[in-house]
């Protein structure tokens, strides 16, 4: 399902003394099946864009095409439910949306709202708890009796249970310990590949954007200022600095090495693994010479 | 030997006093923190770090064992005196902002301790200057970024000129820039005064800044030592849910590729130097 | 939706009204409520309206924002107007249609009540729009201070109020976030039948309570850690200052009251 934003502008609290423009003429195309990262410093409008992707916010100007549904400022839309079922959002600190008596019921809440039969919703809930590495006995517990990391997983399961075609993630790992972070990011990547999802990730971690994304868009003061593959985006340090962003650690280290040996590595190394590999090859080549 | 500031001896604490099936949040923990040290406490989610923080300033008392602060066992009598010597900053920037504006918030602890008005004005200004937030004196919290709110929280914590600054994941809800701001502020404070800093964190950069690291695992102290000593444990830490410094990961990956190195390096500089001397400088 | 609400919010500014002492503004509004009842004919109500517009001008708040933000109250005013219009049965009949009869007195009463309502709401809004919540609380605390003698926990009440005020924006954001999160999961409290909407409220309220509770707990901890142990032995950082303009403002009320008494029937 392609998502296209055309000249999207958005103002919070329009026509009040507190009006705050958050987006200015944003154009963005998210191709079906791609992994799109959106990066930018705090307050640059990332979360505002995300909420447009399933019509929680409607643009004050411009339009958004989500699959074959068009969302515009003053257009009443009967198809919004359909959009919301297909586009699942994992908000920042998603555990704050848990409410039901048991974990099982909470996970089933989303799909049942969209008319999925109870048996099927239950089946999905059980399958997802396993997938997310939660012990089976949590299903009958109250979500409020779980640890922080477990609550996060339950909340994520609640979104995945709707079987969305597009998965939108707003800093899904904030506050978790390093292992929890890695497990959850890897899980999203596996789902992305296996189920052919379109994934949109908002993150402050350049490392995650570099490692997982096919496409990166940079937001700066409410505008989408740069778009490209990770290779393209992280090739220009000056531009990143201008937008108050940094290079991923591996690229920064790569630059240090390149400066020291006065040679360039053949590609930009987006992950620690690729950096080590490229370095090793270079060293082996040096050895042979 | 430096003066002992905080010392825990065989501390055991459980939230579920009536249910012995629940693993205690802390089990037999002992450590000592000395004056002017920077100590980082690390460990996976739920390993008991915040519980330690609560014990150290008397929000909780241990079921067994003792907590000594400034050489005295912490009890109901010396509690308030101790707290005035210990500034504390928590994780969520929104939930610890008491005042309606920045200056009111910084003044809160001063008001509580009965500091006279003129001195209060001075101290509020001085504290805000120390964290570079003077120009935001009259701002309301919801107009500040996360990093700015945390700096205000630090200003509020140091307004009483405490001996200890205790940070419980103070940077974990911030973006990289906010985190950098806060860390730079703490580092600067540490240099200017003989503050003892205890920072609880998941962030390795922050742990690397410390003189000593205490690592918690499942409610027990797993190891304690300098960052070098701790991170030399390598895979063991990864298995316990922690991460390793970037340079160390690269070192390990290089070795796996058959590239010999002098050691698993902790800092990027060491790694670069090693690579240079043993592989490129020919 | 929530963000359009203007009542109870503060608009930063530097007008004459903004700079008045909060105590002066509070006393002003209380006295004004009493004075409004002096008016009883077209001239006196006219004076009230003029006086109110003068104050709006002096506060430099755009009338458009005031009206726009007070829409819910306007509906209430219209409703009261209609009630009076239909149910007052005095004076000449001025309109008759099927079972509806409108009397002259009804129209008069309706208009008077609406004006009274309108000026009161406007003036109270201007009080909150031009005064920071913290100054209002401080003013209340000082004004209520004498009641301490009767064991009224004035300090605690004021603190409670200032903290609630401080958390209103945070909780509004929170409500908005949770509402959106549940909407994204297919539950919607803005459309559907009444029953459906009621059902959609639970998934909003429970997380909201949980989070408010968590916030309260965190805040209590943060306060305790910073040495808060009740009002005793505390010094105060905020000082209110009564100046000439405050006295002048009070005096203007006396003049207004005088004029109204003189012109009333
Ligand atoms: N509900 C709201 N009402 C008014 N202004 C808002 C609201 N939400 C966000 N804003 C403003 O809109 C701008 C963009 O906010 P947004 O939340 O999209 O940023 P972000 O890039 O997600 O930031 P962060 O990295 O901190 O999450 C900011 O200036 C913010 O202050
Ligand atoms: N108020 C409480 N009531 C009951 N149990 C609690 C409470 N607070 C913490 N616990 C439990 O005590 C243990 C230690 O929790 P603690 O908050 O100290 O961990 P932590 O290391 O700070 O974790 P995190 O990294 O997530 O902040 C956990 O198992 C937790 O579930
Ligand atoms: Mg955001
Ligand atoms: Mg904790």
């Amino acid at each position: 399902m392609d998502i296209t934003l055309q000249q999207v502008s958005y103002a919070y609290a329009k026509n009040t003394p507190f009006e705050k423009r958050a987006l200015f003429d944003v154009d963005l195309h998210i191709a079906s099946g791609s992994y799109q990262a959106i990066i930018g410093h705090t307050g640059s409008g990332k979360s505002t864009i995300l909420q447009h992707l399933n019509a929680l916010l409607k643009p004050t100007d411009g339009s958004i095409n989500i699959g074959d549904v068009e969302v515009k400022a003053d257009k009443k839309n009967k198809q919004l439910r359909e959009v919301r079922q297909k586009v699942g959002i994992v908000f920042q600190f998603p555990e704050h949306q848990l409410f039901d008596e048991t974990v099982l019921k909470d996970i089933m809440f989303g799909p049942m709202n969209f008319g999925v039969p109870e048996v099927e919703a239950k089946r999905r809930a059980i399958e997802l708890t396993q997938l997310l590495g939660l012990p089976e006995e949590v299903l009958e517990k109250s979500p409020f009796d779980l640890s922080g990391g477990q609550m996060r997983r339950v909340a994520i399961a609640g979104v995945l249970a709707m079987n969305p075609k597009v998965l939108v993630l707003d800093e899904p790992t904030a506050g978790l310990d390093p292992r929890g972070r890695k497990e959850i990011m890897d899980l999203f990547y596996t789902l992305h590949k296996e189920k052919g999802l379109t994934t949109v990730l908002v993150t402050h971690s350049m490392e995650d954007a570099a490692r997982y994304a096919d496409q990166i868009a940079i937001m700066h003061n409410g505008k989408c200022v740069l778009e490209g593959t990770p290779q393209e985006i992280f090739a220009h340090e000056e531009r990143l600095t201008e937008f108050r962003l940094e290079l991923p650690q591996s690229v920064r280290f790569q630059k240090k090495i390149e400066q020291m040996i006065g040679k360039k590595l053949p590609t930009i190394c987006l992950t620690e693994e690729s950096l080590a590999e490229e370095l090793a090859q270079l060293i082996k080549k040096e050895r042979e010479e | 030997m430096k003066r002992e500031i905080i010392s825990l001896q065989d501390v055991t604490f459980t939230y579920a006093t009536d249910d012995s099936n629940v693993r205690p949040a802390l089990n037999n923990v002992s450590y000592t923190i000395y004056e002017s040290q920077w100590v980082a406490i690390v460990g996976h989610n739920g390993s008991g770090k915040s519980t330690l923080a609560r014990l150290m300033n008397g929000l909780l008392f241990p079921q067994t064992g003792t907590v000594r602060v400034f050489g005295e066992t912490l009890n109901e009598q010396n509690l308030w005196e101790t707290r005035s010597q210990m500034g504390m900053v928590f994780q969520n920037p929104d939930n610890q902002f008491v005042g309606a504006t920045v200056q009111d918030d910084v003044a809160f602890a001063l008001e509580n301790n009965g500091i006279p008005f003129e001195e209060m004005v001075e101290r509020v200004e001085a504290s805000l200057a120390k964290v570079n937030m003077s120009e935001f004196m009259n701002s309301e919290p919801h107009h500040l970024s996360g990093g700015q709110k945390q700096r205000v929280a630090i200003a509020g914590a140091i307004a009483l000129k405490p001996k200890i600054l205790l940070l419980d994941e103070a940077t974990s809800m911030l973006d990289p820039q906010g985190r950098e701001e806060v860390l730079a502020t703490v580092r600067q404070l540490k240099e200017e005064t003989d503050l003892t800093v205890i920072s609880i964190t998941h962030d390795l950069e922050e742990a690397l800044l410390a003189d000593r690291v205490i690592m918690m695992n499942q409610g027990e102290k797993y190891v304690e030592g300098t960052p070098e000593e701790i991170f030399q444990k390598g895979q063991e830490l990864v298995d316990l849910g922690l991460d390793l410094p970037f340079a160390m990961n690269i070192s390990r990956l290089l070795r796996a590729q058959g590239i010999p190195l002098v050691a698993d390096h902790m800092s990027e500089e060491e790694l670069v130097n090693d690579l240079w001397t043993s592989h490129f400088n020919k | 939706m929530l963000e359009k609400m203007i009542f109870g919010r503060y608009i930063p500014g530097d007008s004459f009204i903004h700079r008045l002492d909060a105590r002066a503004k509070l006393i002003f509004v209380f006295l004004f409520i009493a004075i409004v009842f002096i008016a009883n004919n077209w001239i006196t109500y006219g004076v009230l309206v003029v006086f109110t517009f003068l104050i709006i001008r002096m506060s430099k708040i755009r009338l458009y924002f005031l009206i726009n933000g007070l829409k819910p109250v306007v509906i209430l005013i219209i409703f009261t107007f209609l009630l009076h219009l239909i149910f007052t049965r005095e004076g000449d009949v001025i309109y008759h249609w099927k079972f509806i009869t409108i009397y002259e007195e009804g129209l008069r009463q309706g208009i008077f009540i609406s004006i009274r309502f309108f000026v009161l709401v406007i003036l109270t809004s201007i009080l909150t729009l031009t005064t920071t919540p913290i100054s209002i609380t401080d003013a209340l605390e000082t004004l209520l201070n004498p009641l301490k003698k009767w064991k009224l926990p004035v300090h605690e009440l004021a603190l409670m109020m200032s903290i609630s005020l401080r958390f209103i924006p945070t909780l509004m954001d929170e409500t908005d976030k949770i509402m959106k999160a549940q909407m994204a999961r297919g539950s919607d409290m803005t459309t559907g039948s009444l029953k459906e909407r009621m059902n959609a409220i639970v998934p909003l309220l429970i997380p909201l309570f949980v989070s408010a509770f968590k916030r309260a707990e965190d805040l209590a901890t943060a306060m305790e850690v910073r040495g808060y142990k009740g009002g005793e032995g505390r010094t105060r950082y905020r000082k209110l200052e009564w100046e000439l303009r405050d006295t002048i403002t009070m005096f203007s009320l006396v003049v207004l009251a005088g004029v109204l008494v003189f012109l009333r029937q």
Side-chain angles (χ1 to χ4, degrees), chain A residues 8 65 89 114 159 177 184 198 212-213 216 220 223 249 279:
Chain A
V8 169
N65 288 294
I89 297 201
F114 288 115
V159 175
D177 60 18
I184 287 188
T198 311
Y212 298 107
I216 298 181
H220 184 65
K223 298 191 182 91
Q249 248 177 336
L279 263 178

Side-chain angles (χ1 to χ4, degrees), chain A residues 12 20 22 40-49 92 171 204, chain C residues 3 173 176:
Chain A
Y12 285 100
K20 165 91 192 156
H41 62 84
T42 173
S44 57
K46 305 182 295 295
S47 301
T48 311
I49 286 207
Q92 219 177 346
E171 296 177 47
H204 281 298
Chain C
E3 64 200 17
D173 280 358
D176 192 56

Side-chain angles (χ1 to χ4, degrees), chain A residues 70-84:
Chain A
E70 187 184 51
V71 181
K72 263 185 148 166
D74 29 56
K75 210 166 125 182
K76 284 262 177 224
N77 231 322
K78 292 247 149 56
Q79 295 145 305
L80 285 190
R81 280 183 75 76
E82 195 188 320
V83 168
R84 294 204 177 130

Side-chain angles (χ1 to χ4, degrees), chain B residues 44-51 54 91 168-169 200 202:
Chain B
H44 61 86
N45 287 129
S47 57
K49 305 182 298 296
S50 300
T51 311
R54 295 202 182 110
Q91 180 178 27
D168 187 356
E169 296 195 40
I200 294 173
H202 287 304

Side-chain angles (χ1 to χ4, degrees), chain A residues 193-245:
Chain A
K193 288 285 176 213
E194 280 177 4
K195 299 204 170 174
L197 299 180
T198 311
T199 306
V200 184
L201 169 73
V202 160
T203 183
H204 281 298
S205 158
M206 298 302 125
E207 289 74 26
D208 283 350
R211 175 180 294 266
Y212 298 107
D214 312 321
Q215 283 288 322
I216 298 181
I218 297 184
M219 292 297 298
H220 184 65
N221 294 342
K223 298 191 182 91
C224 178
V225 284
L226 204 60
E227 248 190 292
T229 63
Q231 290 281 344
E232 289 161 0
I233 294 281
F234 295 122
H236 305 289
E237 192 176 4
E238 340 67 67
R239 300 226 53 190
L240 286 176
T241 319
E242 184 186 332
F243 306 130
R244 292 198 260 147
L245 298 172

Side-chain angles (χ1 to χ4, degrees), chain B residues 94-95 97 103-104 112 115, chain C residues 166 215 234-235 237-238:
Chain B
D94 279 314
N95 298 1
F97 209 107
Q103 51 175 331
D104 290 293
N112 292 334
I115 310 288
Chain C
R166 135 88 186 86
R215 280 183 199 285
R234 269 186 118 234
T235 41
Y237 181 67
R238 284 276 165 183

Side-chain angles (χ1 to χ4, degrees), chain A residues 1-248:
Chain A
M1 210 164 72
D2 281 24
I3 299 182
T4 313
L5 284 76
Q6 276 170 344
Q7 296 285 303
V8 169
S9 296
Y10 186 78
Y12 285 100
K14 202 169 164 53
N15 294 333
T16 74
F18 313 104
E19 177 166 329
K20 165 91 192 156
R21 284 201 67 179
L23 294 180
F24 300 83
D25 301 327
V26 174
D27 286 308
L28 185 66
H29 177 75
I30 301 169
S32 188
S34 65
Y35 198 124
Q36 170 85 49
I38 301 178
I39 55 180
H41 62 84
T42 173
S44 57
K46 305 182 295 295
S47 301
T48 311
I49 286 207
L50 284 199
Q51 292 173 41
H52 282 84
L53 298 183
N54 77 352
L56 285 172
L57 294 178
K58 285 184 181 179
T60 37
D61 263 311
S63 67
I64 299 162
N65 288 294
I66 306 166
D68 42 18
V69 179
E70 187 184 51
V71 181
K72 263 185 148 166
D74 29 56
K75 210 166 125 182
K76 284 262 177 224
N77 231 322
K78 292 247 149 56
Q79 295 145 305
L80 285 190
R81 280 183 75 76
E82 195 188 320
V83 168
R84 294 204 177 130
Q85 180 168 18
K86 286 186 180 152
V87 183
I89 297 201
V90 176
F91 284 90
Q92 219 177 346
F93 301 103
E95 55 273 28
H96 293 172
Q97 72 203 37
L98 299 175
F99 72 96
D100 225 322
E101 289 157 66
T102 67
V103 168
L104 179 67
K105 281 189 190 166
D106 205 288
I107 299 179
M108 288 164 64
F109 177 69
M112 285 180 62
N113 277 329
F114 288 115
V116 173
E118 194 171 336
V119 187
E120 167 66 8
K122 191 165 175 179
R123 193 191 60 75
R124 288 188 196 171
I126 293 172
E127 185 187 315
L128 282 164
T129 33
Q130 280 170 0
L131 187 67
L132 282 153
L134 292 163
E136 188 154 349
E137 62 264 23
V138 299
L139 281 171
E140 291 308 321
K141 280 194 185 172
S142 156
F144 300 108
D145 285 344
L146 305 182
S147 76
Q150 289 179 323
M151 280 169 86
R152 178 77 53 97
R153 282 161 211 250
V154 170
I156 291 173
V159 175
L160 292 175
M162 300 188 299
N163 265 353
K165 297 261 178 305
V166 181
L167 191 56
V168 177
L169 311 167
D170 196 350
E171 296 177 47
T173 60
L176 294 184
D177 60 18
R179 174 168 46 192
R181 257 193 309 248
K182 181 150 175 11
E183 279 173 3
I184 287 188
M185 286 312 294
D186 284 347
L187 174 83
F188 284 135
Y189 194 67
T190 318
L191 285 173
H192 173 79
K193 288 285 176 213
E194 280 177 4
K195 299 204 170 174
L197 299 180
T198 311
T199 306
V200 184
L201 169 73
V202 160
T203 183
H204 281 298
S205 158
M206 298 302 125
E207 289 74 26
D208 283 350
R211 175 180 294 266
Y212 298 107
D214 312 321
Q215 283 288 322
I216 298 181
I218 297 184
M219 292 297 298
H220 184 65
N221 294 342
K223 298 191 182 91
C224 178
V225 284
L226 204 60
E227 248 190 292
T229 63
Q231 290 281 344
E232 289 161 0
I233 294 281
F234 295 122
H236 305 289
E237 192 176 4
E238 340 67 67
R239 300 226 53 190
L240 286 176
T241 319
E242 184 186 332
F243 306 130
R244 292 198 260 147
L245 298 172
E246 287 187 329
L247 288 173

Side-chain angles (χ1 to χ4, degrees), chain B:
Chain B
M1 196 72 205
K2 285 204 157 175
R3 196 156 73 94
E4 161 192 322
I5 289 261
I6 295 183
S7 165
L8 270 69
Q9 269 133 21
D10 302 323
V11 166
T12 296
F13 179 87
T14 174
Y15 288 97
T17 37
D18 45 359
D19 186 351
S20 53
N21 292 327
V22 179
R23 181 173 58 80
L26 290 176
N27 197 358
N28 248 324
V29 179
S30 310
Y31 58 77
T32 303
I33 293 169
Y34 296 96
E35 191 166 25
S36 321
Q37 272 189 339
W38 180 321
V39 178
I41 301 181
V42 299
H44 61 86
N45 287 129
S47 57
K49 305 182 298 296
S50 300
T51 311
L52 278 180
R54 295 202 182 110
L55 285 161
M56 285 190 278
N57 69 5
L59 287 164
L60 300 173
F61 289 94
Q63 273 99 18
T64 61
T66 51
V67 178
R68 281 210 313 265
V69 183
F70 306 120
E72 275 181 68
T73 301
L74 200 58
N75 56 29
E76 301 283 349
Q77 281 79 49
N78 57 20
L79 190 63
W80 296 104
E81 172 58 23
T82 310
R83 280 188 189 152
S84 71
Q85 292 297 316
M86 191 177 329
M88 193 163 170
V89 180
F90 299 89
Q91 180 178 27
N92 192 330
D94 279 314
N95 298 1
Q96 53 187 313
F97 209 107
V98 184
T101 70
V102 166
Q103 51 175 331
D104 290 293
D105 191 61
V106 177
F108 186 70
L110 300 172
E111 294 180 313
N112 292 334
N113 281 280
I115 310 288
F117 179 74
E118 282 71 26
E119 197 182 334
M120 241 189 311
V121 174
E122 268 168 39
R123 289 225 203 164
V124 167
E125 275 171 15
S127 302
L128 281 172
K130 277 202 184 132
V131 300
N132 292 321
M133 286 294 293
S134 300
E135 56 180 310
F136 295 95
M137 235 169 131
N138 290 310
S139 302
E140 291 171 47
H142 57 278
H143 293 139
L144 300 177
S145 75
Q148 289 172 332
K149 275 182 229 172
Q150 289 302 65
R151 272 148 67 201
V152 173
I154 293 179
I158 58 167
L160 273 172
K161 303 186 184 152
K163 292 235 163 34
I164 308 168
L165 182 61
L166 181 49
L167 308 163
D168 187 356
E169 296 195 40
T171 60
S172 80
M173 285 175 82
L174 306 180
D175 58 305
Q177 214 182 350
R179 187 173 310 160
E180 196 37 57
E181 284 171 17
V182 169
L183 281 184
T185 306
V186 176
R187 218 174 316 164
Q188 189 194 338
L189 280 172
K190 180 90 179 55
E191 273 163 28
E192 288 169 2
T193 56
D194 61 345
L195 204 61
T196 307
V197 176
I198 305 171
S199 72
I200 294 173
T201 182
H202 287 304
D203 183 25
L204 285 174
E205 310 261 336
E206 212 176 309
L208 284 175
L209 286 171
D211 305 313
R212 292 188 77 69
V213 177
I214 294 171
M215 185 184 154
M216 298 294 298
N217 182 44
Q218 313 233 12
E220 298 185 3
K221 187 175 87 176
Y222 189 72
V223 284
E224 181 184 349
T226 61
E228 287 80 5
E229 287 163 5
I230 300 281
F231 289 117
Q232 282 312 330
K233 299 207 169 288
Q235 190 57 39
E236 218 176 308
L237 299 194
V238 179
D239 294 339
L240 295 177
L242 290 190
D243 211 349
L244 293 175
F246 171 78
M248 202 142 190
N249 278 333
I250 299 290
S251 307
R252 285 155 50 97
L253 287 165
L254 280 174
R255 286 186 174 199
Q257 300 262 351
I259 306 293
L261 291 170
V262 182
D264 284 351
H265 297 287
M266 263 211 351
S267 77
E268 295 186 16
E269 279 63 39
E270 283 168 15
L271 177 57
V272 171
N273 287 340
D274 188 4
L275 282 172
W276 176 247
T277 43
S278 41
H279 297 290
F280 291 108
N281 190 15
K282 302 246 167 68

